[in-house]
Structure formats: C-alpha cells, structure tokens
Amino acid sequence: MPQLHLTKADGSTEVIGLNDGETFLGREPGCDIQLAYAGISRQHLRLVTVMGDTFLEDLGSRNGTYVNGRLARKCALRDGDVLQIGEIELRFERDTPSPAGEAPQDPDATTVLTPGQFGPQSLAAREAGLPVEGISPVAELSDAATLHPIRTHFDDQSPRDSWWSRLWSWLRR
C-alpha cells in the first residue's frame, strides 16, 4: 500500500496509508487526510491510487503543490518523491513495486505502462539527446524519417514518385 510520511515540527514522523481510489488532502474536516497547517487550502489536492500507481492533482490551491521542488498541477508519483504543501513536506513511498514493466501473470492481461515510457515523446527525446527511461522497440529498430516522413514544401521533388505524379503521367499518355 502506498504511504505518505509526514515529518512534524517536533521531529516525529506520521505514516499515512493511501487506499485504492481517491484521497483528498486539505484543512477541511471532510478531507480524508486533514492537515491543519498554514498555507494548506481547504481542499488542497487529490491523490488517486489505481493498481499500485498513485497520481496527484492540485485542486487549484492558492499556494500550489510542489513535487521534488517543481510546481505540479497533475503528475504520477514515484517512490521517494517529496511533496511540499505550504510549510510541510510529505515523502511518498510505494512499498510494492509498480506493475509497469513486469510481465503479467495472465498472458491476455494488459500491461500498464508508465507515462512517457513509449511513444513519440520518447523518440523526440532520444533525437534531442535527452535521457529516456524506455523507448519503443519499433523506434529503436527504425529510422525517424521512416517513422514520420514529413514534406515541408509541396514543390520539393521527392526521390520516389508520388501517387499523384504516377497518375498524372499515366493520364498524359
């Protein structure tokens, strides 16, 4: 079960377990996790835990929510992420490994992929020389030009005849 570790001013730590589904955090008594600290909105953020993965959504709080020092509106939480809410810090821990990337027990089951693991963002990041956690096997075996052929000008002469040029030459005969 994912957990939040709250370090209090006196140095003690409180562990807050996150159940599957939605968990609301804020000052309001109706919140699942009530934290009466300065700088925390009545309903500050929502945590959604699904199949072992936890996602954070700031609910339009006045002071914002910071994850690892960066302002975050919506994001997936990873093990060890530090949430800064007002003047308090919460450390996120997932005690079970994520099912993403693991082989499913049932061969017909769907494997959950982590955001950014596959897709055109990974290809663009690789071309830009940025570190990427995972790249599509198709992208590794292919050239970017064969995956996404782009013609910038319509008057460019293509090395191969287009369908229209073949039709036009056939009609001229």
Side-chain angles (χ1 to χ4, degrees), residues 9-28:
D10 64 358
S12 63
T13 303
E14 180 181 346
V15 178
I16 304 164
L18 300 174
N19 296 324
D20 280 348
E22 293 182 330
T23 304
F24 289 90
L25 186 144
R27 275 192 345 251
E28 195 171 80

Side-chain angles (χ1 to χ4, degrees), residues 50-55 76-78 94 98-104 109-122 133-137:
V50 179
M51 295 177 52
D53 289 324
T54 303
F55 304 91
L77 294 177
R78 293 179 293 185
R94 180 175 52 211
S98 171
E102 296 175 1
T110 301
T111 300
V112 178
L113 303 175
T114 57
Q117 187 174 4
F118 293 98
Q121 298 87 0
S122 298
E133 291 180 7
I135 294 207
S136 165

Side-chain angles (χ1 to χ4, degrees), residues 93-107:
E93 279 190 9
R94 180 175 52 211
D95 60 349
T96 58
S98 171
E102 296 175 1
Q105 298 297 327
D106 179 10

Side-chain angles (χ1 to χ4, degrees), residues 46 56-61 65 67 70-75:
R46 174 174 65 164
L56 174 141
E57 178 184 11
D58 185 275
L59 297 174
S61 64
T65 301
V67 177
R70 301 182 93 177
L71 186 61
R73 297 271 304 145
K74 292 182 179 182
C75 68

